[in-house]
Amino acid sequence: MKTALAVGMLVVATASVDEIDARVAEARGLLGQDKPAAALERLAGLDLGDPRVGLVTGVAHYHAGDAVKAVEALTPLVNRFPEGSLERREAVQVLGLANVIAGRLAEALPLLEETRLWAADNLELNQILGNAYIQTQKPDKARGCFAQAFGVPGDSAAAHLLAAQMMVRVEQENLAEAELRQAIQKDPRLPQAHFLLGQIALFRGRLEEAIELTRQEIALNPGNASAWSQLGDAQVRRQAWDEAAGALQRSIWINPYYSAPYILLGRTYMKKGQPGTAESMLRRAVEYDPNNKAAHYLLGQVLQQLGRAEEASKELEIAARLQGQPGR
């Protein structure tokens, strides 16, 4: 009896293992078809404590856009897989990425660093890890990631510039400024470095410094339309209307399809008492960027000056409608 019972129990256990393997394999297939919700349905009811189930469940939650549930599923499992195994690599990588999305950078960093040991040339990983280093105030490590991603030496002026550009994007201007000054120290003729330093100075209201730095950029690259536009912006803020108009006109000559200098020229010509010319500039701005609220608002003001109340009202209504839209 005992022997028969043992055999019977063994048959049931083996069937259960086979069923788990089959459902996990089906879930993997569904993930390969970009169907994470269907994969989760196939795994429903299985024991998450089983590493096979927990791993695929965590991966499915990650691909379904639920980073928190991915973290919950994967965190207990990572150290249950052997070092160097494909399962551990997958768990570590996905858990690291899920922690980034969930805003848990301190938890994400060691996992992403472990992933980088075997995926050092992965562009996306270097970008994500570099940004995580920026957010956690580790500029040297961030620079190393971006240097790897862009194929430049880690201690080069180019690496400092690339790191600074990424820092500006995530509004870490203090870190960016330090990187840019090191870049210029290593290569005073490096394009874009003076421009970005001028941009930071302009953002902080240091107008004379912004003008000087932007002029240095223009001296290195007189064909930089963005630098001419930035110089014009600084002159507008100084209310130096003639100097602003000259810089902005040069920007448009180089790149006539960018709305910002047209908007600034519209303001400039309004202040110079030339509403007709201002209208022309602002209509061009609206043509290139129809959803720019500043362009519509200034155009409405110009049309009011010109006594065209009905047209002015339409433009101001558009500006008001755009006011509530994100990024506008």
Side-chain angles (χ1 to χ4, degrees), residues 278-294:
E279 179 190 357
S280 176
M281 295 296 104
L282 292 167
R283 289 200 181 281
R284 190 64 65 86
V286 168
E287 177 185 348
Y288 292 132
D289 190 358
N291 294 320
N292 190 299
K293 63 177 182 289

Side-chain angles (χ1 to χ4, degrees), residues 147-171:
Q148 179 79 24
F150 286 90
V152 300
D155 61 348
S156 64
H160 286 288
L161 174 62
L162 289 165
Q165 288 176 303
M166 300 302 174
M167 291 165 181
V168 168
R169 289 188 61 185
V170 295
E171 300 180 351

Side-chain angles (χ1 to χ4, degrees), residues 5 40 65 69 74 119 124 132 141 166 194 206 209 226 276:
L5 179 61
L40 288 168
K69 286 187 177 179
L74 294 171
E124 185 179 3
K141 289 187 174 182
M166 300 302 174
H194 293 89
R206 306 196 306 255
E209 181 184 350
S226 295

